[in-house]
Amino acid sequence: MLFKKLLSSIGIGAATVDTKLSKAQYVQGETVEGIVDIRGGSIEQHIDEIYLALVTTYLREIDDKKHEEKAVLARYKVSGSLTIGPNETKTIPFQFALPYDVPVTLGSSRVWLQTGLDIKMALDPQDRDHLAIEPHPLVAAFLEAARQLGFRLHHVQCEQAPRYWQRRLPFVQEFEFKPASGPFKGCLDELEAIFFLSENSVEVLLEIDRKARGLSGLFAEALDMDETFVRFTYGTGDIPALPQLLADAIQKYS
């Protein structure tokens, strides 16, 4: 028995965990449902806590170099202390609402659910399940409005945010668009959008990168003076007029 305990302490013959989700694709703010299956190992083990951690990655700049960092978006307690016997199985259901600031899994952005068992004096068993996160309808409406104006989604990435942009998290997700056709082709180099989403509205921070024109334009571009930041907020009732609202905001500051 002592030998089995020793093996379990280094993960051999220890309890295992497997999380099963009702589906793999979700929208920002949607409720996630599933079960955690625990199977006992070769000896009885006491589990202090079963938890789920919602995790993503973002780029952080250190000494002019970008490094990938992990960020825990939320942590959910599935169960308190319990004991699992040898080869015993336990199934624990769970549900929780995704935060509205969970990144959309476009581009390099990844989101996963990490399940852990806290077991004293042993390696904690873990399980990882990736989630596909689709844009909230309010964000999806912006993407469609941009498409109607001739913008093509070029790049999506989570990056460390300056303190004055940070809300709950140390990073923001940037959506970069290129004008491929329409009224802004030839006028802008790119358009970047950051979304601060809540249940019924979204605040958008736009970075409008004007195309350099002439010597003064090239000088402004070299000094990053060709970029303008614009904030505006819209809700569900504004969706039909969103293409025009976006076009007006760009025209005003470009």
Side-chain angles (χ1 to χ4, degrees):
M1 179 61 71
L2 183 61
F3 183 62
K4 285 185 177 181
K5 286 184 177 181
L6 177 62
L7 290 176
S8 294
S9 70
I10 58 174
I12 300 173
T16 58
V17 60
D18 181 23
T19 296
K20 299 173 182 175
L21 302 173
S22 59
K23 59 180 184 175
Q25 192 164 303
Y26 297 89
V27 173
Q28 293 168 303
E30 187 178 352
T31 297
V32 176
E33 296 182 343
I35 58 172
V36 175
D37 278 342
I38 309 161
R39 183 175 181 83
S42 57
I43 63 166
E44 181 180 278
Q45 287 184 291
H46 181 74
I47 300 169
D48 290 332
E49 181 187 30
I50 303 172
Y51 65 88
L52 299 171
L54 189 66
V55 188
T56 190
T57 60
Y58 68 98
L59 293 179
R60 180 184 176 198
E61 190 168 304
I62 304 173
D63 297 330
D64 295 327
K65 293 183 179 180
K66 291 188 176 182
H67 302 265
E68 188 175 79
E69 301 273 352
K70 289 182 183 178
V72 176
L73 304 169
R75 183 182 168 108
Y76 309 95
K77 184 177 179 178
V78 175
S79 172
S81 63
L82 58 88
T83 299
I84 186 87
N87 299 316
E88 182 184 3
T89 58
K90 290 182 184 291
T91 298
I92 303 173
F94 67 84
Q95 69 172 34
F96 63 87
L98 286 170
Y100 286 103
D101 53 8
V102 60
V104 175
T105 51
L106 293 173
S108 60
S109 301
R110 295 174 293 125
V111 175
W112 67 89
L113 201 59
Q114 189 163 303
T115 311
L117 309 182
D118 281 342
I119 302 176
K120 287 182 180 178
M121 305 299 291
L123 290 177
D124 292 341
Q126 293 188 342
D127 182 39
R128 178 183 289 195
D129 298 89
H130 281 84
L131 305 180
I133 307 296
E134 294 188 341
H136 185 277
L138 286 170
V139 176
F142 182 98
L143 301 181
E144 173 58 21
R147 187 195 67 79
Q148 289 181 25
L149 294 175
F151 287 97
R152 176 175 56 86
L153 187 58
H154 176 69
H155 190 61
V156 182
Q157 189 166 269
C158 293
E159 291 196 7
Q160 183 181 18
R163 288 190 179 276
Y164 50 84
W165 283 1
Q166 290 182 15
R167 300 288 176 91
R168 191 179 70 90
L169 301 171
F171 68 88
V172 291
Q173 186 173 38
E174 296 181 348
F175 292 73
E176 180 185 306
F177 302 86
K178 297 286 188 182
S181 61
F184 300 106
K185 184 179 181 181
C187 300
L188 300 182
D189 279 336
E190 63 183 24
L191 178 72
E192 290 189 5
I194 297 169
F195 302 98
F196 299 107
L197 181 65
S198 59
E199 184 177 2
N200 298 310
S201 66
V202 58
E203 180 186 6
V204 186
L205 176 63
L206 288 181
E207 183 178 344
I208 302 170
D209 190 351
R210 298 184 292 272
K211 196 171 186 67
R213 293 190 183 93
L215 187 60
S216 61
L218 290 171
F219 180 71
E221 189 174 68
L223 296 177
D224 287 335
M225 294 168 58
D226 60 326
E227 296 173 349
T228 302
F229 292 96
V230 181
R231 288 180 184 268
F232 71 94
T233 301
Y234 65 92
T236 304
D238 301 311
I239 288 178
L242 192 54
Q244 189 59 54
L245 291 172
L246 179 57
D248 290 346
I250 297 172
Q251 286 171 344
K252 184 177 180 180
Y253 295 99
S254 62

